[in-house]
């Protein structure tokens, strides 16, 4: 069980802060919706949570109970791009993604993961020949690769390019993973219903001029 | 007793020695250094060139042509010294994240490149009457040419980033890689030169009259002062450009 | 254990890509062939003259051909987002980069080195010179890819990548050029190339030790 503590975080792009210092805390099994206008830094915040971008000040801490088997707070980040090579098949892409993280997977495990988003039949097609929606579904299948130690899902606009049925399917998967104690941080312009007992909304306000240092709202 | 994994970036709060690492604090200091160095550069150049051109005797073997060493040798030295200084500031910048170090390195680079170019140019001018050709693949000339490429690479890389901060760190890394490689390149060029039987005449020669040496040393100091003055000037311009949104600029920079 | 899994995953993916997209290694080879075959038009076809420039042309040609593969290192991955897998991996990034460099070097150095003795026929070079040249190309190509890894990692986030890569990489390949071509020249004049080969190998080992770490740092800087 892993909690997340974000305290007074600022992130800079081109020597300018994106948003006012951000602070929020969550326990295991919490849903964090990140909202804000375009350019407020939603994607950058997710990348920082994934460890892809460094913070200018403040700290991001993944807290884990001492008794738990701790191997670093493993996070799965799915960004705007699907992070797949067009010349490879979904199987090869997913096996690579898992392998690079240090865990080899069997073909059956990849097929099972693809089945969770309904694209098991595409396992050997070239990714380049798939539609946008199919690519997104293959990319999302990364969430279901073996790895019980995964502490958090970081999803940047996961519902884009998905049809309504698949959106509902994904929402169901998110509810299930929350129930298993993972943290889910997501940005979305679509208002997809996700039932969560523990949900917070983090609103980022873009800084346009230095004097507009207003505090970010965090609503429970 | 939770285990934590964190990113944090507030390392240097409240340490006195970081005071001058802040562009705001260093800006006026740089101005003073600049003025002092301009004064030194101009007066030393006058003295050095006077001794070199009017007091030092004509060289027995090379005639008047040898007098180019009063420009050539200091320029060649500065080309090397400035690269080392640049690499030093880049290392400091990467290690401690101080913006001023990167600015210092950016301020030095064009001067270093110009020094390498001057040394190549004057070397060619000296080579024409002495070797009978403008360019010889002499080990020193060749190494200076490669050093010039390293400067060009650094400057081009720093300019290729829209995000200044990234450009700072990226160009600093390449400067360090270059600095590590410079001795290897020098050695390999030396090796190549002996393999291919290069020219062995060098500017200056081994036995220099004391007065020639005096003039050359004075010119070397003049070049030092000039390089520092120009670098400080460029540094101040950069500080203003990069910190233009900061409040201190409004109050302390009037003109 | 998991480090080996990760390095293998990187290596296998690159080899799969090379096997699937043959142009990735065939185009550099084609470039090498064309570059080496147009030089005689500029300098004349007397075999004495060709023998003099042949070593240099072949060696530089092979290096320039290998340069063409540098965008394969990180550019494509940065565009499609796959780079995130390397960057978020818990395993050391330098090792993953080394695995990728190894795969690309293998897929590139081998064809270029095999082609070198054949193209040496254009320049009337004796067979013992041609074979030592192939050996030095085998050492030079991975050295160039290692150095190139730093430059391409830095240029992932910059403008004007291709030309700037050449400006940054080629000066640093001068030592391997000097020692590699020098070894072949020694053989041409009937001497032992041992010293040059040892120095070229030393520069390769130096690059092998340093470049993956520097490239990892570079990648962190440019993707931050």
């Amino acid at each position: 069980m892993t909690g997340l503590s974000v305290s007074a975080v600022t992130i800079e792009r081109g020597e300018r802060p994106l948003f006012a210092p951000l602070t929020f805390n969550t326990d295991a099994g919490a849903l964090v919706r990140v909202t804000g206008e375009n350019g407020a830094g939603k994607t950058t915040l997710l990348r920082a949570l994934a460890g892809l971008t460094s913070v200018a000040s403040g700290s991001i801490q993944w807290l884990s109970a001492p008794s738990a088997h701790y191997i670093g707070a493993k996070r799965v980040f799915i960004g705007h791009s699907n992070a797949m090579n067009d010349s490879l098949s979904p199987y090869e892409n997913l096996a690579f993604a898992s392998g690079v993280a240090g865990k080899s997977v069997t073909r059956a495990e990849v097929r099972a993961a693809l089945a969770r988003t309904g694209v098991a039949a595409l396992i050997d097609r070239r990714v380049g020949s798939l539609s946008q929606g199919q690519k997104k579904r293959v990319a999302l299948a990364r969430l279901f690769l073996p790895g019980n130690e995964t502490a958090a899902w970081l999803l940047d606009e996961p519902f884009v390019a998905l049809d309504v049925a698949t959106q509902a399917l994904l929402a169901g998967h998110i509810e299930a993973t929350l129930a298993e104690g993972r943290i889910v941080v997501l940005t979305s312009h679509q208002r997809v219903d996700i039932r969560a007992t523990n949900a917070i909304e983090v609103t980022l306000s873009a800084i346009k001029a230095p004097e507009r240092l207003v505090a970010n709202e965090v609503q429970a | 007793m939770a285990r934590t994994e964190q990113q944090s970036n507030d390392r240097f709060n409240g340490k006195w020695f970081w005071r001058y690492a802040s562009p705001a604090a260093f800006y006026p200091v740089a101005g003073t250094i600049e003025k002092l160095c301009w004064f030194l550069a101009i007066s030393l150049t006058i003295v050095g060139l006077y001794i070199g051109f009017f007091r030092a005797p004509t060289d027995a073997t090379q005639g008047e042509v040898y007098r180019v060493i009063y420009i050539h040798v200091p320029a060649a030295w500065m080309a090397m010294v400035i690269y080392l200084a640049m690499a030093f500031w880049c290392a400091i910048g990467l290690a401690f994240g101080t913006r001023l170090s990167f600015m210092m390195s950016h301020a030095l680079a064009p001067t270093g490149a110009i020094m390498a170019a001057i040394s190549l140019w004057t070397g060619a001018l000296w080579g024409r009457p002495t070797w009978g050709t403008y360019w010889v693949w002499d080990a020193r000339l060749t190494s200076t040419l490669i050093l010039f490429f390293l400067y060009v690479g650094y400057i081009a890389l720093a300019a290729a980033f829209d995000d200044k901060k990234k450009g700072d760190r990226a160009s600093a890394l390449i400067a360090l890689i270059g600095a590590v490689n410079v001795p290897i390149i020098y050695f390999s060029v030396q090796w190549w030169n002996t393999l291919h039987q290069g020219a062995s005449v060098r500017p200056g020669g081994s036995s220099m009259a004391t007065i020639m040496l005096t003039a050359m040393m004075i010119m070397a100091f003049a070049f030092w002062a000039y390089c520092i003055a120009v670098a400080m000037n460029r540094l101040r311009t950069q500080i203003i450009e990069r910190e233009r949104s900061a409040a201190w600029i409004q109050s302390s920079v009037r003109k | 254990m998991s480090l080996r899994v990760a390095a293998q995953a990187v290596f296998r993916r690159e080899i799969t890509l090379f096997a699937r997209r043959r142009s990735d290694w065939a185009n550099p080879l084609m470039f090498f062939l064309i570059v080496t075959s147009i030089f005689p038009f500029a300098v004349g076809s007397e075999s004495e003259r060709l023998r003099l420039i042949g070593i240099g042309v072949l060696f530089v040609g092979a290096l320039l051909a290998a340069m063409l593969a540098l965008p394969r290192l990180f550019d494509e991955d940065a565009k499609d987002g796959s780079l995130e897998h390397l960057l978020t991996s818990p395993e050391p990034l330098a090792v993953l980069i080394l695995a990728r460099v190894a795969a690309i070097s293998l897929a590139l150095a081998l064809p270029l080195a095999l082609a070198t003795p054949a193209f040496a026929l254009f320049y009337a070079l004796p067979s013992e010179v041609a074979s030592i040249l192939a050996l030095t190309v085998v050492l030079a190509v991975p050295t160039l890819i290692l150095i190139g890894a730093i430059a391409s990692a830095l240029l992932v986030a910059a403008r004007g990548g291709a030309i700037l890569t050449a400006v940054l990489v080629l000066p640093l390949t001068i030592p391997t050029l000097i020692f590699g071509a020098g070894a072949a020249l020694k053989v041409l004049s009937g001497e032992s190339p041992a010293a040059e080969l040892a120095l070229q190998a030393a520069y390769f080992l130096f690059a092998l030790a340093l470049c993956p770490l520097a490239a990892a740092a570079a990648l962190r800087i440019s993707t931050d």
Side-chain angles (χ1 to χ4, degrees), chain C:
Chain C
M1 179 58 206
S2 59
L3 177 61
R4 212 178 66 207
V5 170
Q8 271 174 355
V10 174
F11 189 84
R12 188 174 305 135
R13 173 180 183 267
E14 292 312 307
I15 296 296
T16 310
L17 279 171
F18 271 112
R20 197 155 293 168
R21 300 189 310 210
R22 293 191 189 93
S23 59
D24 280 2
W25 56 267
N27 285 356
L29 202 57
M30 219 34 151
F31 177 85
F32 185 30
L33 170 63
I34 290 167
V35 164
T36 49
S37 61
I38 62 170
F39 266 83
F41 297 116
V43 297
S45 60
E46 303 86 13
S47 48
E48 270 314 299
R49 195 183 294 179
L50 288 177
R51 199 170 294 142
L52 277 177
I53 65 158
I55 289 171
V57 169
L58 286 165
F59 205 87
V60 173
L63 282 185
L64 292 181
M67 287 275 310
L68 294 181
L70 290 182
R72 263 299 302 275
L73 277 164
F74 306 116
D75 281 11
E76 199 186 346
D77 277 22
K79 279 194 196 87
D80 68 22
S82 309
L83 207 52
E84 286 159 12
H85 299 311
L86 293 187
L87 294 168
T88 55
S89 169
E91 309 304 332
L93 184 56
V95 176
L96 303 181
I97 290 174
L98 186 61
R100 178 165 286 185
V101 166
I104 294 177
S105 299
L106 188 72
L108 217 66
L110 232 49
L112 289 175
L114 288 176
T116 303
F119 298 170
L121 298 175
F122 288 155
Y123 292 90
L125 288 170
S127 60
E128 64 270 23
V129 176
S131 45
I132 202 81
L133 203 52
L135 180 65
T136 61
V137 166
V138 166
L139 275 172
V141 170
T143 309
L144 179 127
I145 307 270
L146 281 164
I147 297 167
I150 304 171
S152 357
L154 287 175
L155 289 166
V156 157
R159 283 170 277 116
I163 297 169
L164 209 42
T165 313
V167 172
L168 295 177
V169 172
L170 288 177
L172 300 182
T173 60
I174 288 171
T176 197
L177 186 62
I178 288 173
F179 300 131
L185 279 170
K186 276 281 175 70
V187 174
L188 187 65
S189 58
E191 294 166 69
S192 161
E196 277 80 4
L197 283 179
L199 286 168
Q200 199 198 5
Y203 192 61
F204 164 69
L205 291 176
F206 173 72
L208 188 67
L210 213 64
C211 291
L213 292 168
L219 211 50
R220 296 275 182 217
I221 289 171
S222 61
T223 58
D224 183 15

Side-chain angles (χ1 to χ4, degrees), chain A residues 12 55 58-61 75, chain B residues 3 5-7 9 165:
Chain A
E12 288 179 357
V55 299
S59 70
I60 295 171
Q61 303 183 10
R75 295 144 273 174
Chain B
R3 290 219 235 171
E5 178 190 335
Q6 67 164 310
Q7 308 180 324
N9 209 3
K165 236 179 177 170

Side-chain angles (χ1 to χ4, degrees), chain A residues 54-159:
Chain A
S54 54
V55 299
S57 63
S59 70
I60 295 171
Q61 303 183 10
W62 295 91
L63 309 157
S64 130
S67 56
H69 175 59
Y70 187 83
I71 58 148
K74 192 173 166 246
R75 295 144 273 174
V76 181
F77 169 69
I78 297 187
H80 277 289
S81 62
N82 295 317
M84 290 188 296
N85 188 298
D86 279 353
S87 302
L88 300 175
S89 68
Y91 167 65
E92 287 160 337
N93 273 302
L94 264 56
F96 170 68
S98 181
V100 165
K103 185 155 176 48
S104 56
V105 284
T106 64
R107 198 179 154 79
E109 286 167 332
V110 172
R111 186 187 290 279
L114 288 167
R116 300 288 289 275
T117 52
V119 283
L122 304 176
I123 187 163
D124 285 324
R125 289 265 297 275
R126 295 277 168 88
V127 165
S129 70
L130 304 180
S131 75
Q132 283 307 318
Q134 287 173 322
K135 282 183 190 173
K136 193 87 211 175
R137 285 158 76 153
V138 173
L140 288 166
R142 259 169 52 210
L143 297 170
F144 307 107
L145 289 171
N148 295 325
E149 67 276 18
T150 299
W153 289 2
L154 309 170
L155 309 174
D156 195 6
E157 296 290 344
F159 299 111

